[in-house]
Amino acid sequence: MTFDLNDLKPAEKQYYLQHIIAPRPICFASTIDKEGNVNLSPFSFFNLFSSNPPVVIFSPARRIRDNTTKHTLQNILEVPEVVINIVTYDMVQQTSLTSCEFPKGENEFIKAGFTPIPATLVKPPMVKESKAKLECKVLEVKPLGTEGGAGNLIICEILRLHMDDSLLDESKKMDQRKINHVARLGGDWYCQVNEQNLFQVEKPNTQLGIGIDVLPENIRSSNILSGNDLGRLANVQEMPVIDPAFDDDHLRQIIQYYNLNPDEMEKELHLYGKKLLIGGKVSEAWQVLLALG
Ligand SMILES: Cc1cc2nc3c(=O)[nH]c(=O)nc-3n(C[C@H](O)[C@H](O)[C@H](O)COP(=O)(O)O)c2cc1C
């Protein structure tokens, strides 16, 4: 199915795009108006765009229903400061509650049971319960349109970052497994980032992988090896060669058993290579796959 965005109604555009462009991190924005009324609201049109200068952007959109603007945007136009509180799984239901359309001036810290604590450089308070808080000054507000659904980019420079010690390991390095982020997807869907669904993809920074285009034909056209398997194999810096010292019982068995049946042997070698790749044993997988000659 192919859509031309111009043929969709505003609510349909939002519906499809929010499901597809996901998961999105959540900016839990604390702002203040010039009378000192505090607002707290979540925004998942949010990301990091620069680390030096440190710049994040989030986007309170005009409501599709009636083309009104959000209190967060109104506050920022009066006081161009914001604290962005990072949302973790233990806060997600209370965070969602703050997105109710409470009347202007109603303090969502109170409505949702969060604890305000003073920020150090900006006026809006921080959410005590959040494990990471960014004190920001607003560099620019860029409206993207005038119709319902139009975003307003709030371009923020991060001045100070507060992190809970529980996010760090013993050597004061970030431990990604400890943060427990939540992210927003389409409709009512969220996802939780935890140790069970985190994984790592090794990427050498300074050296080039050989590329999938130069892999041997039988590997490249394998029905058993997936795109991820080929990606792992092609990330080595130079084409591996057979290592005569490589000694592996299972490889020897495959070669002996399927000696008279090269097609079956290829299948078994690919299956074994795949298993090694999934276990992170890339050089061993290469030796197995090269055994076919
Ligand atoms: C997790 C989550 C993410 C949201 N992301 C956005 C967003 O990126 N942009 C937006 O305009 N509204 C977003 N909303 C809706 C606003 O939070 C909601 O309209 C809120 O009432 C705005 O509050 P305010 O008028 O007090 O600023 C989101 C709601 C939730 C629960």
Side-chain angles (χ1 to χ4, degrees), residues 9 63 80 108 116 174-175 188 190 193 195 199 218 252 262 267 274 277:
K9 298 193 181 85
R63 290 191 182 84
E108 287 94 353
M174 298 296 306
D175 186 339
D188 290 343
Y190 287 73
V193 181
E195 200 155 0
F199 64 96
N218 81 76
R252 218 176 306 116
K267 188 177 147 205
K274 185 181 184 73
L277 285 170

Side-chain angles (χ1 to χ4, degrees), residues 86 126 130-134 160-168 172-175 179:
I86 297 301
M126 310 195 286
S130 168
K131 294 204 172 70
K133 319 173 217 314
L134 319 176
R160 190 167 276 176
L161 166 63
H162 305 266
M163 263 189 300
D164 198 279
D165 288 346
S166 67
L167 305 185
L168 305 169
K172 298 272 171 268
K173 288 270 164 36
M174 298 296 306
D175 186 339
I179 302 186

Side-chain angles (χ1 to χ4, degrees), residues 225-289:
L225 298 168
S226 66
N228 278 337
D229 298 329
L230 299 188
R232 286 188 179 99
L233 290 168
N235 200 27
V236 296
Q237 272 87 66
E238 53 188 51
M239 181 66 79
V241 290
I242 291 176
D243 174 5
F246 183 71
D247 185 28
D248 183 282
D249 280 348
H250 190 52
L251 175 60
R252 218 176 306 116
Q253 281 167 10
I254 294 174
I255 293 171
Q256 279 167 8
Y257 195 79
Y258 295 100
N259 198 14
L260 298 175
N261 190 341
D263 287 347
E264 279 302 303
M265 188 191 299
E266 178 176 290
K267 188 177 147 205
E268 290 301 317
L269 290 174
H270 285 194
L271 284 169
Y272 186 33
K274 185 181 184 73
K275 193 172 157 205
L276 290 167
L277 285 170
I278 289 168
K281 297 183 170 168
V282 177
S283 53
E284 289 86 344
W286 262 111
Q287 288 305 312
V288 167
L289 296 169

Side-chain angles (χ1 to χ4, degrees), residues 26 39-45 59-61 63 69-73 95-96 98-101 108 184 190:
I26 302 172
N39 191 282
L40 182 63
S41 296
F43 297 94
S44 68
F45 290 3
S59 175
R63 290 191 182 84
T69 57
K70 311 254 162 126
H71 300 144
T72 302
L73 172 67
T95 302
S96 174
T98 66
S99 76
C100 295
E101 290 182 15
E108 287 94 353
R184 187 88 192 275
Y190 287 73

Side-chain angles (χ1 to χ4, degrees), residues 27-33 39-43 58-60 63 69-79 81-82 98 104 108 138 141 154:
C27 149
F28 199 19
S30 160
T31 55
I32 198 164
D33 68 12
N39 191 282
L40 182 63
S41 296
F43 297 94
F58 70 99
S59 175
R63 290 191 182 84
T69 57
K70 311 254 162 126
H71 300 144
T72 302
L73 172 67
Q74 296 163 15
N75 285 357
I76 281 171
L77 292 173
E78 292 180 14
V79 179
E81 297 177 341
V82 55
T98 66
K104 187 156 166 56
E108 287 94 353
V138 174
V141 177
I154 313 290

